[in-house]
Amino acid sequence: MDPDVLNMFVIAGGTLAIPILAFVASFLLWPSALIRIYYWYWRRALGMQVRYANYDDYQFCYSYRGRPGYRPSILMLHGFSAHKDMWLSIVKFLPKNLHLVCVDMPGHEGTTRSDLDDYSISGQAKRIHQFVECIKLNRRPFHLVGTSMGGNVAGVYAAQYPEDICSLTLICPAGLPSTTDSKFIKQLRELQESERIDRIPLIPSTPEEMADMLKLCSYVRFKVPQQILQGLVDVRIPHNDFYRKLFLEIVDEKSRHSLHENMSKIKAPTQVIWGKQDQVLDVSGASVLASAIPDCHVYILENCGHSVVVERPRKTANLILEFLALLHSMDNNKKQA
């Protein structure tokens, strides 16, 4: 073979080998870095841009796509110990001309974390209102979506700032009393009795505990490689002390049933989406909401757990779009009557 051709193949092979070796090294040695790159790439692919907003000395981090238009903007509030990127799986199935905003909840990811902040549910709702005012999202009433802890905050927000929103979607929201104890609630009681409350199932510190948390939150069994489990743990461990403090705050008497205490004040049309096999927050909470909120549409998803956003993203996106279309149609009918 011609030496020049051989050299070309060697150079080309080396050029290809470098990114492959870098990927393998990242996967084996720095899986947490790979996870961050994954979210960065996914945001770019979906057209989501990250921005910051400041309220006095407090900073909010959020991502957005699109601009406000004739259809309501959509604000999404994530759950406990998650971040704005958890919504990307749903964003994938939403029209690009919709104005979407996903914010990091107080103390999470890029939003300010302060020991002096009020992390109760009402305190978080107040912070989210400050964010809404910062970016002037409430120039027109918007659609508010919240899941788990974020669902609790969303419901309280709807009750406290009714003029800001036109409609509401609650996905497996916390903050409700339940007639049936979920697996998670039973685990918490056992930990309290054994005085091992530091071992909260939603705050893993090992790959094995992370695998257990994923099983607890999902009905669908995802096969997650050990390296990725390690990466997920590595990303969370620096924040676990905050998560413990936050968890104790939101299960305290002040916040434990915040949504239940405020749901009679919710006047906006409300959509409730719940996984039938939810092991974190029992699905019976859906009927509690349906009985208290006048204009409430309930959807129970079969073969789905607490992580509805991850397990059934396309279905969830379609339900939200159908709900908004229904409300738009009803509004037009009222105008024509």
Side-chain angles (χ1 to χ4, degrees):
M1 182 181 288
D2 188 300
D4 290 337
V5 175
L6 181 62
N7 285 338
M8 183 181 70
F9 276 112
V10 170
I11 293 170
T15 303
L16 290 172
I18 289 172
I20 293 172
L21 289 173
F23 176 82
V24 172
S26 297
F27 183 72
L28 296 176
L29 302 176
W30 304 291
S32 59
L34 197 61
I35 291 168
R36 291 189 179 95
I37 292 171
Y38 167 77
Y39 281 124
W40 172 83
Y41 175 79
W42 203 6
R43 281 198 305 268
R44 286 184 62 86
L46 293 175
M48 297 293 288
Q49 300 183 55
V50 175
R51 291 290 184 271
Y52 296 88
N54 293 291
Y55 184 90
D56 294 335
D57 59 348
Y58 196 90
Q59 177 180 267
F60 296 96
C61 180
Y62 67 101
S63 60
Y64 78 97
R65 187 175 75 183
R67 295 181 178 180
Y70 72 93
R71 290 195 286 186
S73 299
I74 300 178
L75 173 61
M76 299 179 170
L77 308 182
H78 64 74
F80 172 78
S81 76
H83 48 76
K84 60 186 175 297
D85 292 331
M86 72 160 286
W87 295 107
L88 292 175
S89 56
I90 284 184
V91 168
K92 177 182 177 181
F93 299 107
L94 294 174
K96 290 187 177 180
N97 60 350
L98 269 180
H99 181 221
L100 308 175
V101 179
C102 306
V103 64
D104 285 326
M105 297 294 282
H108 290 73
E109 197 77 4
T111 292
T112 296
R113 178 179 300 172
S114 169
D115 291 336
L116 301 177
D117 213 7
D118 178 5
Y119 291 107
S120 67
I121 296 301
S122 61
Q124 292 191 61
K126 182 178 179 181
R127 280 296 189 195
I128 295 302
H129 185 245
Q130 291 170 352
F131 167 70
V132 164
E133 291 190 318
C134 274
I135 66 170
K136 298 180 172 59
L137 188 65
N138 55 351
R139 283 180 174 176
R140 291 182 56 196
F142 58 88
H143 181 70
L144 182 58
V145 181
T147 184
S148 197
M149 178 193 77
N152 195 352
V153 175
V156 172
Y157 188 104
Q160 294 183 351
Y161 307 100
E163 67 283 354
D164 280 4
I165 71 165
C166 59
S167 46
L168 177 68
T169 293
L170 303 177
I171 304 173
C172 304
L176 297 168
S178 176
T179 54
T180 305
D181 284 347
S182 65
K183 181 178 179 180
F184 173 62
I185 297 300
K186 291 176 182 176
Q187 288 179 344
L188 282 184
R189 288 215 175 104
E190 290 172 3
L191 290 171
Q192 285 177 327
E193 290 171 2
S194 61
E195 297 183 349
R196 297 176 62 193
I197 195 60
D198 59 313
R199 299 291 298 275
I200 299 168
L202 297 180
I203 309 178
S205 55
T206 67
E208 293 72 25
E209 291 176 357
M210 173 58 72
D212 289 340
M213 187 190 82
L214 294 178
K215 290 178 184 176
L216 178 68
C217 293
S218 302
Y219 175 80
V220 177
R221 291 293 176 255
F222 299 101
K223 292 182 179 180
V224 184
Q226 183 73 10
Q227 288 87 353
I228 296 299
L229 289 172
Q230 183 65 59
L232 292 170
V233 169
D234 290 345
V235 169
R236 295 172 63 98
I237 281 178
H239 310 287
N240 276 355
D241 286 343
F242 166 71
Y243 294 152
R244 290 188 187 95
K245 176 185 176 182
L246 173 62
F247 183 81
L248 294 176
E249 187 78 44
I250 61 179
V251 299
D252 185 72
E253 287 185 13
K254 182 179 178 182
S255 295
R256 188 180 306 161
H257 295 147
S258 290
L259 178 54
H260 185 255
E261 292 162 1
N262 283 271
M263 60 187 183
S264 62
K265 301 175 187 176
I266 297 175
K267 305 305 178 186
T270 300
Q271 176 187 53
V272 176
I273 304 173
W274 217 301
K276 188 173 182 178
Q277 285 76 27
D278 191 338
Q279 298 182 95
V280 178
L281 299 169
D282 192 76
V283 67
S284 59
S287 58
V288 174
L289 289 167
S291 63
I293 301 175
D295 193 4
C296 189
H297 305 249
V298 175
Y299 304 88
I300 306 299
L301 304 186
E302 294 282 350
N303 301 322
C304 185
H306 187 66
S307 301
V308 171
V309 174
V310 176
E311 295 181 79
R312 304 289 291 279
R314 185 193 297 269
K315 179 65 175 178
T316 304
N318 286 340
L319 285 173
I320 292 172
L321 292 174
E322 289 168 6
F323 181 59
L324 292 176
L326 173 65
L327 297 180
H328 180 70
S329 175
M330 292 171 62
D331 189 48
N332 283 341
N333 290 338
K334 287 179 182 177
K335 289 178 181 178
Q336 294 173 4

